[in-house]
Amino acid sequence: MEQIFFFIFAVVAVGSAVAVVAFRNPVHSAISLMVCFFQVAALFILLRSPFLAAAQLFIYVGAVMVLFLFVVMVLDLGRASFDEPVFHRRIWGIVVVLGLFAEVVYLTLKGEPSHIKGPYVDGAMMNNTEVMGTLLYTKYIYPFEIVSILLLLALVGAIALTMNSKGE
Amino acid sequence: MSDGYILEKRKESAVETFFNRIFFIDFIKGLSLTLKYNLSRSITLRYPDEEKWIPYKRFRGQHTLNRDEYGRELCVGCELCAKSCPTDCITVIPMEDSAGRGIADRVARVWEVNLTRCMFCGLCEDACPTEALKLGREYELSCFSLSNAVMDKDRILIAGQGEPLDLEATGAEPKGWMKVSLDSIDYITPLDFKKGDRVPANYEGGVNAAASLERTEDGIRVVPDLSKTKKWW
Amino acid sequence: MVPLSYYLILSLILFSVGMAGVLLRRNIIIVLMSLELIFNSVNINLVAFSHHLQSMAGRIFVIFTITIAAAEVAIGLAIIVAMYRRVKTVYVDKLRGMKG
Amino acid sequence: MPEMATILEVLFIIFKVVVVTMILFSLPLPLTWMERKIAAHIQVRLGPFRVGPHGVLQPFADMMKLMFKEDIIPYKADKRLFRIAPIISMVPVLAAFAVVPFGNDITIPFLNEEVSLYIADMDVAILYILAITGIGVYGIIFGGWASNSKYALLGGIRSTAQMISYELPMSLAAIGVVMITNSLSLVNIVNAQQGWHWNIIYQPLGFFIFFIASLAEINRIPFDLPEDEGTLAAGYHVEYSAMRFSFFMLTEYVAMVLASVLAVLLFFGGWNGPGFLPSIVWFVVKVSVFIYFFMWIRFTLPRYRYDQLMTIGWKILLPLSLFNVLITGFFLI
């Protein structure tokens, strides 16, 4: 049962990921990326982390993609993107990607992850939102603080970058 | 509605402003006002299905030409109405008639008013020396053809072919307001004159009467029921 | 039950697609989107390992990754907007101002 | 072969999904009638009166009209996106009801089966609802962009900015509730409010912020700038007609119901109430009061200007909601 769901999500995720790269119109790419993020959120639920799924929806789908679309719509790139030049080093790009793909497939199939304890089965760990919160505020408090400062910096930086120098 | 207009706003102190901001006083005032209106009675008339507005006596609607108590035409064709009309919508052509049709030897051969131009100011009514011309209570004047908007004497002269009317029954005043003969009218009318149920001349009016919409072969009529009335506003 | 290697392969495919997008596409907005794809493939990896190794660390890392990705997108898009105002293009091969 | 109990459970879930979806799809019928009646009476009119007694059949007439009207797609529109945009905007609000509890568990008389009045009790229900309603904005963006019309595009962009701005204070206001009940699950939140310990008593500021932000999230007056008739014709759905248009309308009404439901669940004790009525009746009564309140506000207040909207969102509500979280934390410690 779970495998069927996994394959549905995986196939849609890969298809939409390919569509992101293949579509010429950035708006269509953005939609495909949104679909892909949805599938990843669904995969997170399959992996028993509903909090991450919600966060994925919240941040990626709810905020990041809206930001993308906003920029695309404000700059009006939707129609102007059909004259994208063909890059003469495209062949090298494909070679690099395929090489990387082959290498990691080899490593994944050959290698064996150590200390696999199997998936969680008990109910206490299924609802792991509370565990995660506790960990985040005890063991990982310093990274947490650093990340929040980083977010603040990004906020200020984004505003500073997009504001005109005259201040209006 | 007692709340009226605030002509001059009282200067608020800073504390009051702060208080108002914090507790959304203006917001609550607005909400309570709309709630009051929500609970109050609606002013919409369900015209023409169920209700009809009966105007006051003083209402200036469509013209009527009246007769005296013996059925003689009061109009003497003096053309004062046509002269006084600011929009020039009245045409009067007088004639001699000594057969006793009118109260004098002179009667109107043609008396026409063009209701598309008329603005119902009532100056003609004031000018009339014999009180023949009255602006009645008729206000449903829509018609299918513009030619119907020109009212001639046949359509606005009150009926009563010579014989005196029963003044006690109709409660009519000695001069005028007897019975309107509107047989040839094809516009939408509230009063079914054929049936004879009409608003009496001395009826005070200013009420909202129950009415029914009747579809007949002649057209649509809104017939009021004067026994079921209520004050409106 | 879905084995770990399925997740790894899926994440690998997504990673390669994202990589291809970065290398092949010239539209800088789509390059940025491809970067997001790569982030996501890494996230899948982290959560899958966290699930199978019964350790919360992977999931905590995903939270950090998502946060950093959000910050990165905000800054990246701000740069794109600022750049578009100056040079009126979004194609990376036209941006050779640093090349001398 | 799965056990009988499992099959029964799955059947119950499917049954509940079908029932909830049917209710949600039919809700706009009474709600449009209600809204028009309330609008009329606030403006001292009568409202719909001709189709059926007091116009109760008017929504059905409107529905028939919308069904049989021609579905016009503008010539230069992005056809695919134009077609799916209403559905994108409709699905998230419907999906959000998957985790909404409607009442205490009830026992079905003949089967003797305990049935819970929610489809799923999710561990992160509030987060899920906030996240998935955030997706609804895509329908509006795509609808606005794909129409290839400047009014629609402006409406879409405004709506995007508005919804992103107000999602923050709304979430932070909800976090106050989460802090005092120690759970993200809506069932637990409601159960923590038993015995008149409604959260409105402990979180009045949070409720105000939540309410104002949800008004903005569901694009209702005084924050209905995306469909500002005065400046934008009709905003993002100006090019839509027939059923696609009615999907947008349906979304709006269901979103209003969702906002009322959330306000009741988070701040007004959910289905808790004096025991003489079943829990679900209390829930419906409270939600209806909120829906009336939304409509009442709509016909009381004028529309804000765009800069005022942003000022309220970022300079007033966001600091206030952070302050609310701060005091809540202070009192908890």
Side-chain angles (χ1 to χ4, degrees), chain A residues 3 21 23 37 43 47 56 60 77 83-84 87 101 114-115 117-118 120 128 132 135 147 162 164, chain C residues 1 7 10 12 16-17 24-26 29 36 40 51-56 59 63 67 69 85 91:
Chain A
Q3 284 208 359
V21 179
F23 279 148
F37 286 161
L43 285 174
L47 287 167
Q56 168 96 4
Y60 271 119
L77 304 173
D83 55 342
E84 183 171 335
F87 195 48
F101 186 74
S114 53
H115 305 301
K117 293 179 182 162
Y120 297 125
N128 49 28
M132 242 162 105
L135 271 180
V147 159
T162 45
N164 279 345
Chain C
M1 215 38 249
Y7 285 105
L10 171 68
L12 168 61
S16 309
V17 172
L24 299 178
R25 288 302 295 260
R26 302 276 67 99
I29 287 188
E36 294 305 308
N40 263 279
H51 186 56
H52 284 86
L53 296 178
Q54 298 200 4
S55 147
M56 288 309 279
R59 281 167 195 175
I63 291 181
T67 325
R85 281 198 192 134
Y91 299 128

Side-chain angles (χ1 to χ4, degrees), chain A residues 23 25 27-28 30-31 34 38 45 50-51 54-55 57-58 60-67 69-70 72-74 76 78-79 126-130, chain D residues 76 78 80-81 84 88 122-124 127-128 130-132 134-135 137-138 141-142 144-146 148 153 156-158 160-161 164 167 171 182 184 306:
Chain A
F23 279 148
N25 191 332
V27 176
H28 292 170
I31 299 165
M34 195 182 99
F38 251 102
I45 289 188
F51 178 78
L57 284 187
F58 218 149
Y60 271 119
V61 183
V64 168
M65 289 319 296
V66 173
L67 214 56
L69 281 170
F70 210 80
V72 171
M73 289 196 314
V74 168
D76 197 19
R79 319 240 181 275
M126 298 264 269
N127 297 339
N128 49 28
T129 312
E130 202 175 331
Chain D
K76 288 250 177 163
D78 190 318
R80 243 181 312 166
L81 266 186
I84 61 168
I88 294 181
M122 210 175 176
D123 194 15
V124 287
L127 213 55
Y128 167 80
L130 291 175
I132 208 147
I135 293 160
V137 73
Y138 283 102
I141 302 177
F142 290 151
W145 184 80
N148 206 352
L153 182 67
I157 287 179
R158 276 187 182 184
T160 320
I164 293 178
E167 212 164 82
S171 315
N182 263 328
L184 284 166
Y306 193 65

